[in-house]
Amino acid sequence: MQRFVFVLEQTLGHVAHSRNLTRALGRRTDIEATVIPVPFPPSDRLQTLPGLRNWSLRASRVARAGLGRRLAQGPVDAVFIHTQVAAFLASRIMHRVPTVVSLDATPVNFDAVGEAYGHARQPWLVESVKRSVTRHALMPAAALVTWCDWAKRSLVDDYGFPAGRIHTIHPGVDLDLFVPPSGTRRSGPIRLLFVGGDFARKGGPELLEALAELRGEVEADIVTPQQPTAPAGARFRHHAGLQPQSPALLELYRNADVFVLPARGDCFPQAIAEAMACGLPVISSAVGAIDEMIHDGANGFLVRPGSTTDLVRAVRTLAGDPSLRRRMGEAGQRLARSRHDAIANANRIFDLLSAVATGERATDPRRSAVPSKA
């Protein structure tokens, strides 16, 4: 029995990733797991480290305290920390216990899309210190996991980590939950689905403009906490308060014809992987690592960020061609099953932890035979 500790950030899309990892752990009989959630804590009086936000420091404190309590109870074989913001104060623990640190994007990646987040690059000296702090925090890790190749390239090119220490493992989606509809399509206009916590950054305003131009040609379900301001002619239903993987959200995926996320800035949005698993063609934009998920013309269309014209054209193309929607949806579903299976990818993480725990060279393990409780 291997004893692993999982320190898991609980913000935005990381919530679903945490749930998927926990669900995968429930299927293993060979792992004794301790899960330490890192929720967004209330503000305190801590000052930031150079170039780091208060959230990074507070999350690191929560993570280090939780790890300290668990290690006081007895030895563990390996630790998994997601994300890097929870790892900044854990370097001493990493020197004692083999640790894998996981991240969706590096700070340099974030800088590249930061304008859409309201984030601006700092002066050169601050950015240099920020890179140094990040490199120092991650250096003691036995291995690094990135959600996408975009982040892996940044770790190599911007931070000087050897590629052999870095393993791209997509967070994935639960393929038992996210499935295509079993029945035939209902009649009426095609239905678009938008799922985004940050309505503006995810391209919500552009979608509303496109809906106004399209008028009665399509209808849409918009899942976001904010109340959208409806332009004349836009036809949509607003859904607030839906939780990740909730039955109501799953039902919206299964009733949709096309998934639309014309993001102004993003990293590796899991809503796209969820849509692909449900057999939906996807319209999105080539920002962050989205082009690793959407292959333009194969399983969806990539539009220019902020371009309502591109968005309307893509929607009309799919609305007028049911066979194209079907082919793109099937291509996306195949990709979801081959690369975005949350249970299979979680098992790759568990195999990586086993490798670093025994001092083996971590060689990006693939799916292996897994003892199951079922």
Side-chain angles (χ1 to χ4, degrees):
M1 181 73 69
Q2 293 181 303
R3 297 158 296 185
F4 296 153
V5 179
F6 295 83
V7 181
L8 304 175
E9 182 179 331
Q10 303 291 302
T11 60
L12 303 175
H14 305 298
V15 175
H17 183 44
S18 177
R19 291 179 180 177
N20 289 334
L21 283 172
T22 302
R23 188 174 292 114
L25 284 168
R27 303 186 182 191
R28 299 289 294 247
T29 59
D30 60 334
I31 296 174
E32 178 185 306
T34 300
V35 176
I36 301 173
V38 182
F40 197 102
S43 181
D44 56 27
R45 295 182 180 179
L46 283 173
Q47 299 297 314
T48 58
L49 288 172
L52 300 178
R53 296 168 294 164
N54 271 330
W55 159 235
S56 301
L57 228 137
R58 287 184 267 128
S60 295
R61 283 186 64 201
V62 172
R64 185 177 63 178
L67 280 170
R69 287 191 295 270
R70 173 57 185 88
L71 293 175
Q73 297 170 6
V76 301
D77 297 304
V79 171
F80 179 81
I81 302 177
H82 180 80
T83 63
Q84 75 272 24
V85 299
F88 281 117
L89 299 180
S91 59
R92 290 187 179 180
I93 291 174
M94 292 188 209
H95 284 296
R96 294 166 49 198
V97 182
T99 300
V100 174
V101 178
S102 164
L103 55 152
D104 59 336
T106 70
V108 171
N109 287 148
F110 185 64
D111 284 344
V113 296
E115 182 178 354
Y117 289 80
H119 164 79
R121 283 186 174 90
Q122 302 296 312
W124 176 85
L125 181 59
V126 174
E127 291 294 339
S128 177
V129 171
K130 186 169 68 174
R131 289 195 196 191
S132 178
V133 169
T134 299
R135 178 176 167 78
H136 177 78
L138 298 181
M139 187 57 66
L144 298 169
V145 166
T146 58
W147 278 13
C148 54
D149 290 332
W150 180 56
K152 178 176 181 176
R153 289 193 299 271
S154 178
L155 284 175
V156 174
D157 297 339
D158 301 317
Y159 296 90
F161 285 96
R165 288 182 57 192
I166 309 165
H167 308 264
T168 299
I169 303 177
H170 302 320
V173 298
D174 190 326
L175 298 180
D176 293 330
L177 293 177
F178 292 91
V179 296
S182 56
T184 58
R185 185 191 179 278
R186 81 231 172 292
S187 60
I190 71 163
R191 185 177 294 184
L192 312 180
L193 176 62
F194 170 98
V195 179
D198 187 336
F199 185 67
R201 179 174 61 81
K202 297 286 187 175
E206 287 77 20
L207 175 57
L208 291 179
E209 291 175 10
L211 290 173
E213 185 171 337
L214 291 161
R215 293 191 176 272
E217 297 178 47
V218 299
E219 58 187 37
D221 289 288
I222 295 178
V223 180
T224 190
Q226 298 88 12
Q227 176 63 54
T229 301
R235 185 175 176 180
F236 69 93
R237 291 168 292 272
H238 175 226
H239 307 267
L242 299 189
Q243 297 301 309
Q245 302 180 346
S246 65
L249 181 60
L250 293 171
E251 188 66 16
L252 289 175
Y253 273 106
R254 291 167 189 156
N255 286 332
D257 297 298
V258 177
F259 187 80
V260 182
L261 194 79
R264 301 173 184 177
D266 219 322
C267 296
F268 197 75
Q270 283 310 286
I272 289 179
E274 293 169 351
M276 291 193 303
C278 292
L280 298 179
V282 177
I283 300 172
S284 191
S285 49
V287 297
I290 290 177
D291 61 359
E292 295 181 31
M293 310 173 83
I294 302 305
H295 304 155
D296 190 38
N299 63 328
F301 291 120
L302 293 173
V303 300
R304 290 172 295 173
S307 175
T308 302
T309 301
D310 285 4
L311 186 54
V312 169
R313 183 185 302 116
V315 170
R316 280 190 170 139
T317 298
L318 286 170
D321 194 337
S323 63
L324 179 62
R325 295 200 304 270
R326 184 181 64 256
R327 291 196 303 271
M328 284 188 167
E330 290 172 349
Q333 188 182 15
R334 288 193 297 270
L335 186 61
R337 292 193 171 277
S338 65
R339 300 191 64 189
H340 298 276
D341 183 337
I343 300 302
N345 291 354
N347 285 324
R348 290 178 60 196
I349 290 173
F350 303 156
D351 290 345
L352 180 57
L353 287 169
S354 296
V356 301
T358 57
E360 297 176 8
R361 183 175 180 270
T363 55
D364 196 7
R366 301 289 169 173
R367 185 185 304 188
S368 59
V370 177
S372 173
K373 293 180 180 178

